[in-house]
Amino acid sequence: MKAEINEFMESLKQRTPGEKEFHQAVQEVAESVWDFYMQNPKYRKNKILERMCEPERTIIFRVPWVDDHGEVQINRGYRVEFNSAIGPYKGGIRFHATVTLSILKFLGFEQTFKNSLTTLPMGGGKGGSDFSPKGKSDGEIMRFCQSFMNELFRHIGPDTDVPAGDIGVGGREVGYMFGQYKRLRNEFTGVFTGKGIGWGGSLIRPEATGFGAVYFVRHMLKRLGKDIAGHTFAISGFGNVAWGAVSKINELGGKVVTISGPDGYVYDPDGISGDKINYMLELRASNQDIVEPYSKKFGVKFVPGKKPWVEKCDIAIPCATQNELNVDDAADLVKNGCWLVAEASNMGCTAEAVEYLKEHIDFAPGKAVNAGGVSVSGLEMTQNSMRYNWSREEVDQRLQIIMQDIHETCVKFGSGGKRIDYVKGANIGGFVKVAEAMLAQGIV
Ligand code: 2IT
């Protein structure tokens, strides 16, 4: 089996040289689904997996804009329309200096499986730019978003491709991009999710990724006869996902002792609760991309340049970015008594870390754990189509049902070993629905 996967990966690597994050994401899926793929000649004959690894369309474009000093700036914009077998392309837009085609391809590839798991009719896509919002003025961000949309508008639409936020893209950026789309098309339509509440957004969307992650962890814990209450959590990041997770963990009686940023991590032994959670929003809005001010404000430890995985916790939830937890971090966590890791970031752990964690403790991957975000995006699309808004309770209820379904799918396809293999469960569970749709739709 290993030789066949290696052959498959070698051929992929030859066609996509240098795209290491993309290769990492595909390798994980290939290893999970290989046996299943081999047992189903209809998939193999139709080269379903090979086709899934080739985006249906990739758009790359110049994004010129003028900064506050009158200087011309040039960034690169992307939209990777990966797979539309089960619905319009759906996935976020990332603005970050590290954005490359490889990163957006890994994200778009994973999004296809994640969206399939949500039970909602959404294909997979991802977009973004190497533009960094850090330290930019509001005017600069608006002009960049408008220039970005001046090209992207011709490729997206409510039944074609529906972007949303991701790292560096929140309510403000979605607003600017949606506004420009509406101006160019002369059309008020559900072309973006993560919109403001007064203009087509859904309640709970900002909280959804973090809430969903904690609902998913709660199901994992239930199988172990445990609960969120009384447990200590280490979290990385301090953005939208971390904020939602910290809020829900507090509500359910858990304690969060860390958050982190590119500058280091904060250790708060009393727990990040109450006003401290609201302060996370202020930190994020400051556009500085640092967490140190938290330690100054609340008089707690700040460790510069380090990740939070050396602190003692029961459960760790990476909420920042890809490959933020490596095998040494994984070993530190396990050594200090951590017994569950759930990725809320996309591909938050390196392949070696995933292997180590799966061997030693319970582990669940981002495409299952963080699917609550895109799920509520799907619910936002539904509400937009109905021209109606559901209440907070209604959206939250649906989110909880979806996270339960995703967990059940993981258990269904990931059982058989000494622990549930959530990676295998999520990958096969996500694969089947897309594969069946691709089969039914012919060679397209
Ligand atoms: O990674 C993700 O699932 C997201 N950034 C959210 C995508 C969406 O369309 O809401």
Side-chain angles (χ1 to χ4, degrees), residues 170-184:
R172 174 181 54 177
E173 292 76 14
V174 167
Y176 293 147
M177 286 190 271
F178 177 79
Q180 187 71 355
Y181 178 91
K182 182 165 66 65
R183 185 174 186 196
L184 291 165

PDB file of all heavy atoms in Angstrom, residues 170-184:
ATOM      1  N   GLY A 170     -11.942  39.869   8.188  1.00  0.00           N
ATOM      2  CA  GLY A 170     -13.076  39.819   9.116  1.00  0.00           C
ATOM      3  C   GLY A 170     -14.218  40.665   8.571  1.00  0.00           C
ATOM      4  O   GLY A 170     -14.267  40.954   7.370  1.00  0.00           O
ATOM      5  N   GLY A 171     -15.096  41.087   9.457  1.00  0.00           N
ATOM      6  CA  GLY A 171     -16.289  41.832   9.054  1.00  0.00           C
ATOM      7  C   GLY A 171     -15.962  43.067   8.223  1.00  0.00           C
ATOM      8  O   GLY A 171     -16.648  43.366   7.236  1.00  0.00           O
ATOM      9  N   ARG A 172     -14.901  43.780   8.619  1.00  0.00           N
ATOM     10  CA  ARG A 172     -14.567  45.015   7.902  1.00  0.00           C
ATOM     11  C   ARG A 172     -14.190  44.726   6.443  1.00  0.00           C
ATOM     12  O   ARG A 172     -14.715  45.350   5.509  1.00  0.00           O
ATOM     13  CB  ARG A 172     -13.388  45.684   8.619  1.00  0.00           C
ATOM     14  CG  ARG A 172     -12.843  46.895   7.899  1.00  0.00           C
ATOM     15  CD  ARG A 172     -11.667  47.500   8.644  1.00  0.00           C
ATOM     16  NE  ARG A 172     -10.620  46.509   8.921  1.00  0.00           N
ATOM     17  CZ  ARG A 172      -9.464  46.802   9.500  1.00  0.00           C
ATOM     18  NH1 ARG A 172      -9.202  48.030   9.869  1.00  0.00           N
ATOM     19  NH2 ARG A 172      -8.563  45.855   9.709  1.00  0.00           N
ATOM     20  N   GLU A 173     -13.310  43.743   6.228  1.00  0.00           N
ATOM     21  CA  GLU A 173     -12.850  43.436   4.878  1.00  0.00           C
ATOM     22  C   GLU A 173     -13.982  42.851   4.030  1.00  0.00           C
ATOM     23  O   GLU A 173     -14.121  43.183   2.845  1.00  0.00           O
ATOM     24  CB  GLU A 173     -11.664  42.458   4.920  1.00  0.00           C
ATOM     25  CG  GLU A 173     -10.381  43.034   5.508  1.00  0.00           C
ATOM     26  CD  GLU A 173     -10.397  43.158   7.028  1.00  0.00           C
ATOM     27  OE1 GLU A 173     -11.286  42.562   7.678  1.00  0.00           O
ATOM     28  OE2 GLU A 173      -9.534  43.866   7.574  1.00  0.00           O
ATOM     29  N   VAL A 174     -14.800  41.978   4.651  1.00  0.00           N
ATOM     30  CA  VAL A 174     -15.949  41.422   3.921  1.00  0.00           C
ATOM     31  C   VAL A 174     -16.856  42.569   3.482  1.00  0.00           C
ATOM     32  O   VAL A 174     -17.354  42.607   2.353  1.00  0.00           O
ATOM     33  CB  VAL A 174     -16.711  40.384   4.789  1.00  0.00           C
ATOM     34  CG1 VAL A 174     -18.060  40.036   4.172  1.00  0.00           C
ATOM     35  CG2 VAL A 174     -15.868  39.130   4.979  1.00  0.00           C
ATOM     36  N   GLY A 175     -17.040  43.547   4.361  1.00  0.00           N
ATOM     37  CA  GLY A 175     -17.879  44.709   4.031  1.00  0.00           C
ATOM     38  C   GLY A 175     -17.352  45.438   2.803  1.00  0.00           C
ATOM     39  O   GLY A 175     -18.103  45.737   1.868  1.00  0.00           O
ATOM     40  N   TYR A 176     -16.062  45.734   2.787  1.00  0.00           N
ATOM     41  CA  TYR A 176     -15.483  46.470   1.653  1.00  0.00           C
ATOM     42  C   TYR A 176     -15.570  45.655   0.357  1.00  0.00           C
ATOM     43  O   TYR A 176     -15.845  46.197  -0.715  1.00  0.00           O
ATOM     44  CB  TYR A 176     -14.019  46.826   1.930  1.00  0.00           C
ATOM     45  CG  TYR A 176     -13.822  47.837   3.050  1.00  0.00           C
ATOM     46  CD1 TYR A 176     -12.695  47.777   3.873  1.00  0.00           C
ATOM     47  CD2 TYR A 176     -14.748  48.851   3.271  1.00  0.00           C
ATOM     48  CE1 TYR A 176     -12.499  48.704   4.890  1.00  0.00           C
ATOM     49  CE2 TYR A 176     -14.557  49.777   4.296  1.00  0.00           C
ATOM     50  CZ  TYR A 176     -13.428  49.691   5.100  1.00  0.00           C
ATOM     51  OH  TYR A 176     -13.238  50.602   6.096  1.00  0.00           O
ATOM     52  N   MET A 177     -15.320  44.362   0.462  1.00  0.00           N
ATOM     53  CA  MET A 177     -15.355  43.540  -0.765  1.00  0.00           C
ATOM     54  C   MET A 177     -16.791  43.382  -1.260  1.00  0.00           C
ATOM     55  O   MET A 177     -17.055  43.493  -2.465  1.00  0.00           O
ATOM     56  CB  MET A 177     -14.706  42.172  -0.512  1.00  0.00           C
ATOM     57  CG  MET A 177     -13.187  42.268  -0.416  1.00  0.00           C
ATOM     58  SD  MET A 177     -12.366  40.670  -0.415  1.00  0.00           S
ATOM     59  CE  MET A 177     -12.338  40.305   1.326  1.00  0.00           C
ATOM     60  N   PHE A 178     -17.713  43.146  -0.335  1.00  0.00           N
ATOM     61  CA  PHE A 178     -19.125  43.006  -0.714  1.00  0.00           C
ATOM     62  C   PHE A 178     -19.627  44.308  -1.349  1.00  0.00           C
ATOM     63  O   PHE A 178     -20.332  44.293  -2.371  1.00  0.00           O
ATOM     64  CB  PHE A 178     -19.968  42.650   0.516  1.00  0.00           C
ATOM     65  CG  PHE A 178     -21.434  42.553   0.231  1.00  0.00           C
ATOM     66  CD1 PHE A 178     -21.971  41.417  -0.367  1.00  0.00           C
ATOM     67  CD2 PHE A 178     -22.300  43.608   0.547  1.00  0.00           C
ATOM     68  CE1 PHE A 178     -23.334  41.333  -0.636  1.00  0.00           C
ATOM     69  CE2 PHE A 178     -23.652  43.525   0.277  1.00  0.00           C
ATOM     70  CZ  PHE A 178     -24.169  42.388  -0.314  1.00  0.00           C
ATOM     71  N   GLY A 179     -19.239  45.437  -0.743  1.00  0.00           N
ATOM     72  CA  GLY A 179     -19.681  46.745  -1.268  1.00  0.00           C
ATOM     73  C   GLY A 179     -19.227  46.956  -2.701  1.00  0.00           C
ATOM     74  O   GLY A 179     -19.989  47.425  -3.551  1.00  0.00           O
ATOM     75  N   GLN A 180     -17.987  46.584  -2.966  1.00  0.00           N
ATOM     76  CA  GLN A 180     -17.449  46.778  -4.323  1.00  0.00           C
ATOM     77  C   GLN A 180     -18.112  45.815  -5.309  1.00  0.00           C
ATOM     78  O   GLN A 180     -18.416  46.181  -6.443  1.00  0.00           O
ATOM     79  CB  GLN A 180     -15.922  46.587  -4.310  1.00  0.00           C
ATOM     80  CG  GLN A 180     -15.232  46.918  -5.615  1.00  0.00           C
ATOM     81  CD  GLN A 180     -15.215  48.422  -5.916  1.00  0.00           C
ATOM     82  OE1 GLN A 180     -15.810  49.232  -5.197  1.00  0.00           O
ATOM     83  NE2 GLN A 180     -14.555  48.798  -6.991  1.00  0.00           N
ATOM     84  N   TYR A 181     -18.364  44.598  -4.858  1.00  0.00           N
ATOM     85  CA  TYR A 181     -19.050  43.621  -5.720  1.00  0.00           C
ATOM     86  C   TYR A 181     -20.434  44.151  -6.091  1.00  0.00           C
ATOM     87  O   TYR A 181     -20.854  44.112  -7.252  1.00  0.00           O
ATOM     88  CB  TYR A 181     -19.195  42.278  -4.980  1.00  0.00           C
ATOM     89  CG  TYR A 181     -19.927  41.228  -5.784  1.00  0.00           C
ATOM     90  CD1 TYR A 181     -19.244  40.355  -6.618  1.00  0.00           C
ATOM     91  CD2 TYR A 181     -21.323  41.121  -5.723  1.00  0.00           C
ATOM     92  CE1 TYR A 181     -19.918  39.401  -7.367  1.00  0.00           C
ATOM     93  CE2 TYR A 181     -22.005  40.173  -6.471  1.00  0.00           C
ATOM     94  CZ  TYR A 181     -21.297  39.317  -7.284  1.00  0.00           C
ATOM     95  OH  TYR A 181     -21.972  38.374  -8.033  1.00  0.00           O
ATOM     96  N   LYS A 182     -21.132  44.641  -5.090  1.00  0.00           N
ATOM     97  CA  LYS A 182     -22.494  45.148  -5.305  1.00  0.00           C
ATOM     98  C   LYS A 182     -22.472  46.328  -6.280  1.00  0.00           C
ATOM     99  O   LYS A 182     -23.327  46.451  -7.156  1.00  0.00           O
ATOM    100  CB  LYS A 182     -23.075  45.584  -3.943  1.00  0.00           C
ATOM    101  CG  LYS A 182     -24.496  46.101  -3.989  1.00  0.00           C
ATOM    102  CD  LYS A 182     -25.099  46.161  -2.604  1.00  0.00           C
ATOM    103  CE  LYS A 182     -24.420  47.170  -1.709  1.00  0.00           C
ATOM    104  NZ  LYS A 182     -24.582  48.563  -2.157  1.00  0.00           N
ATOM    105  N   ARG A 183     -21.467  47.170  -6.163  1.00  0.00           N
ATOM    106  CA  ARG A 183     -21.383  48.327  -7.057  1.00  0.00           C
ATOM    107  C   ARG A 183     -21.116  47.887  -8.503  1.00  0.00           C
ATOM    108  O   ARG A 183     -21.753  48.363  -9.445  1.00  0.00           O
ATOM    109  CB  ARG A 183     -20.259  49.256  -6.583  1.00  0.00           C
ATOM    110  CG  ARG A 183     -20.209  50.511  -7.399  1.00  0.00           C
ATOM    111  CD  ARG A 183     -19.204  51.495  -6.867  1.00  0.00           C
ATOM    112  NE  ARG A 183     -19.325  52.731  -7.627  1.00  0.00           N
ATOM    113  CZ  ARG A 183     -18.418  53.674  -7.643  1.00  0.00           C
ATOM    114  NH1 ARG A 183     -17.325  53.563  -6.925  1.00  0.00           N
ATOM    115  NH2 ARG A 183     -18.601  54.759  -8.365  1.00  0.00           N
ATOM    116  N   LEU A 184     -20.200  46.930  -8.648  1.00  0.00           N
ATOM    117  CA  LEU A 184     -19.828  46.488 -10.003  1.00  0.00           C
ATOM    118  C   LEU A 184     -20.957  45.715 -10.679  1.00  0.00           C
ATOM    119  O   LEU A 184     -21.180  45.834 -11.874  1.00  0.00           O
ATOM    120  CB  LEU A 184     -18.563  45.618  -9.938  1.00  0.00           C
ATOM    121  CG  LEU A 184     -17.278  46.364  -9.571  1.00  0.00           C
ATOM    122  CD1 LEU A 184     -16.177  45.383  -9.175  1.00  0.00           C
ATOM    123  CD2 LEU A 184     -16.822  47.239 -10.727  1.00  0.00           C
TER     124      LEU A 184
END
